[in-house]
Amino acid sequence: MGNRNNDLKKKRERDRKINQQIESDRKVYEREAKLLVLGTGDSGKSTFIKQTQLLFRDGFSEDEKRTFKKAIRINLIRHTKLLIKACRTLEIELSSQNEEIADLFLEVKPDSNGNLSKKIVNDIKILWDDTAFKGSFEKRSQFQIPDTAYHYFDNIDEVAKEDYTPSNVDILNCRIATSGVKVIEFPLSGIPTKIIDVGGQRSERRKWIHQFEDTTLVIYVVAISEYDQKLYEDESINRLHESLALFETTCKNYFLKKKDFLVLFNKKDIFKEKIKKIDLNVCFQKYKGGCQYKKATNYIKKRFFRRWKSGKRKLHHMFTIGTNTKNVKLVFNLVQEVIYEIFSKQGIL
């Protein structure tokens, strides 16, 4: 009889500990913040993910740096070809000598390991020094090339060095399309936080739905500088129009209709320079504010806020420069405030 009682006591003690662990795990799970980063392709979503690694993790591993080094060098060749083709399409004439270099360069195939020969480097430098060739980059709204491509042309001597290791700035400016889902876990002022990046291209969006459940905050990234550019996937559609439409669809999603959103109006530095020359009415015909930064940014903000169906949730916003680490730190300060507010309402904190 005594042995039986002892067995029961041991069983109750095991059950108690199991229940305690379950309750402890539940509290930890409820207190974990899940940040879902959404937006169209090339909006700058992945740049914010990279900034997370710099701000809250140990930066980039040696393997990651090697991957970026390869991508940067391959992109240099691809972007040079894009500019050559743009010159032909837009009927921009290079010097006769440089036309010959351009013709031959179109036959160049990127090395699979990202190596750059001295001839390739020299040809790129000659072409980039050509005023007409460089001028084609200013007309990039008429073809597809990343805004940050100039960074590597300007720094080609460094990129071409045999012992080149990409700097944080190089990595932040490097464009690699996101495929699938990337998750980074980090503590945000003591709160276990998980930030999730999914591809923004149309072909990737079908994967979004699997990440919607249990989201704490949706971070929606908009590249406001792309108001005069067309989609990679469909050159009949304006990029900012696509971002607006996707924002409205996302807000109405069943799993997200009660969630707070933070809209990051990104690439404000590029927008500030572009708006001096190109009126926002190329995107929104009803806009009458002219080439003025404040009026244009306020108009864009209002267009997004009109699509917001609030209910009891909140829409936060900030104008940002995704490649500027100090600026992104301010974003995470706001994210922290929003998470504390959400968790306080839920009685988690």
Side-chain angles (χ1 to χ4, degrees):
M1 189 70 176
N3 288 336
R4 186 178 178 185
N5 287 336
N6 286 335
D7 289 343
L8 285 172
K9 285 180 181 179
K10 288 179 182 179
K11 183 177 182 303
R12 288 194 194 103
E13 182 62 20
R14 283 197 303 270
D15 289 346
R16 186 183 66 79
K17 289 180 178 180
I18 290 171
N19 288 332
Q20 280 182 338
Q21 187 61 50
I22 291 172
E23 179 63 15
S24 176
D25 291 345
R26 182 187 66 79
K27 288 179 178 178
V28 169
Y29 177 76
E30 286 181 349
R31 199 169 179 267
E32 180 183 72
K34 179 179 176 181
L35 310 176
L36 183 60
V37 184
L38 303 177
T40 56
D42 214 22
S43 59
K45 296 184 297 84
S46 297
T47 304
F48 280 94
I49 300 298
K50 294 174 193 173
Q51 292 281 22
T52 303
Q53 290 184 243
L54 291 176
L55 289 168
F56 302 104
R57 300 283 292 272
D58 297 324
F60 305 102
S61 68
E62 292 305 312
D63 282 344
E64 286 175 316
K65 288 177 182 178
R66 282 190 286 271
T67 297
F68 282 115
K69 174 182 177 179
K70 178 180 174 180
I72 287 166
R73 288 178 164 181
I74 290 175
N75 283 344
L76 251 177
I77 294 174
R78 288 175 177 167
H79 295 159
T80 302
K81 289 185 177 183
L82 284 173
L83 290 177
I84 292 170
K85 291 175 182 177
C87 286
R88 305 288 163 80
T89 302
L90 301 174
E91 298 182 347
I92 297 173
E93 291 187 11
L94 308 178
S95 69
S96 57
Q97 184 178 355
N98 289 349
E99 283 286 1
E100 186 177 341
I101 292 174
D103 284 337
L104 293 173
F105 198 93
L106 288 174
E107 302 302 318
V108 171
K109 293 183 179 179
D111 181 90
S112 59
N113 294 316
N115 295 318
L116 293 172
S117 69
K118 289 183 179 179
K119 176 170 174 48
I120 287 175
V121 173
N122 190 53
D123 286 348
I124 292 174
K125 289 172 70 173
I126 290 171
L127 290 172
W128 190 241
D129 283 340
D130 188 305
T131 304
F133 182 84
K134 187 178 290 186
S136 67
F137 184 74
E138 297 302 316
K139 299 180 184 294
R140 61 190 178 276
S141 64
Q142 299 180 51
F143 57 99
Q144 303 290 353
I145 190 169
D147 290 319
T148 55
Y150 76 90
H151 171 78
Y152 306 104
F153 286 117
D154 285 346
N155 294 282
I156 188 169
D157 285 331
E158 182 64 29
V159 172
K161 286 181 179 178
E162 190 174 340
D163 61 349
Y164 167 65
T165 298
S167 66
N168 288 339
V169 173
D170 292 341
I171 291 173
L172 291 172
N173 280 288
C174 182
R175 167 72 174 141
I176 302 176
T178 302
S179 179
V181 179
K182 182 166 185 176
V183 180
I184 293 181
E185 297 182 7
F186 62 98
L188 185 60
S189 293
I191 297 177
T193 304
K194 183 185 294 182
I195 190 166
I196 300 169
D197 177 31
V198 288
Q201 284 75 22
R202 286 180 168 182
S203 60
E204 292 288 324
R205 292 176 199 167
R206 64 181 182 276
K207 302 172 186 176
W208 288 13
I209 190 69
H210 304 295
Q211 303 298 327
F212 285 177
E213 198 170 358
D214 300 321
T215 296
T216 306
L217 176 68
V218 179
I219 300 175
Y220 189 87
V221 186
V222 184
I224 59 173
S225 61
E226 295 180 346
Y227 65 94
D228 64 333
Q229 295 173 248
K230 306 296 182 183
L231 288 182
Y232 279 103
E233 304 96 322
D234 185 346
E235 294 196 350
S236 68
I237 297 178
N238 178 281
R239 290 193 185 189
L240 198 49
H241 289 174
E242 173 83 351
S243 187
L244 258 174
L246 182 61
F247 175 70
E248 183 173 22
T249 301
T250 306
C251 291
K252 292 178 179 178
N253 182 274
Y254 174 80
F255 293 102
L256 303 177
K257 63 184 181 181
K258 294 182 180 179
K259 303 297 181 181
D260 284 11
F261 274 58
L262 168 59
V263 177
L264 300 181
F265 295 108
N266 196 31
K267 302 187 182 183
K268 69 174 184 177
D269 53 332
I270 300 172
F271 180 87
K272 196 168 190 175
E273 292 305 311
K274 185 180 285 189
I275 196 65
K276 294 175 183 177
K277 303 173 184 177
I278 303 172
D279 199 304
L280 186 61
N281 63 17
V282 300
C283 178
F284 301 114
Q285 292 183 355
K286 292 182 178 179
Y287 172 72
K288 305 298 181 184
C291 295
Q292 297 187 48
Y293 176 79
K294 284 189 177 180
K295 287 184 178 180
T297 50
N298 282 335
Y299 186 85
I300 292 172
K301 184 185 78 172
K302 287 177 182 177
R303 291 296 295 248
F304 275 83
F305 272 60
R306 284 178 199 165
R307 305 286 182 105
W308 176 251
K309 308 298 180 185
S310 60
K312 294 181 179 180
R313 58 184 177 163
K314 288 186 177 181
L315 176 60
H316 309 267
H317 79 280
M318 183 179 282
F319 286 87
T320 57
I321 305 172
T323 54
N324 185 309
T325 304
K326 288 183 179 178
N327 184 258
V328 175
K329 193 170 185 178
L330 296 177
V331 172
F332 278 103
N333 287 344
L334 176 57
V335 168
Q336 179 185 318
E337 290 176 16
V338 174
I339 290 173
Y340 268 83
E341 184 179 327
I342 292 170
F343 280 0
S344 294
K345 286 181 180 178
Q346 296 174 351
I348 296 173
L349 292 179

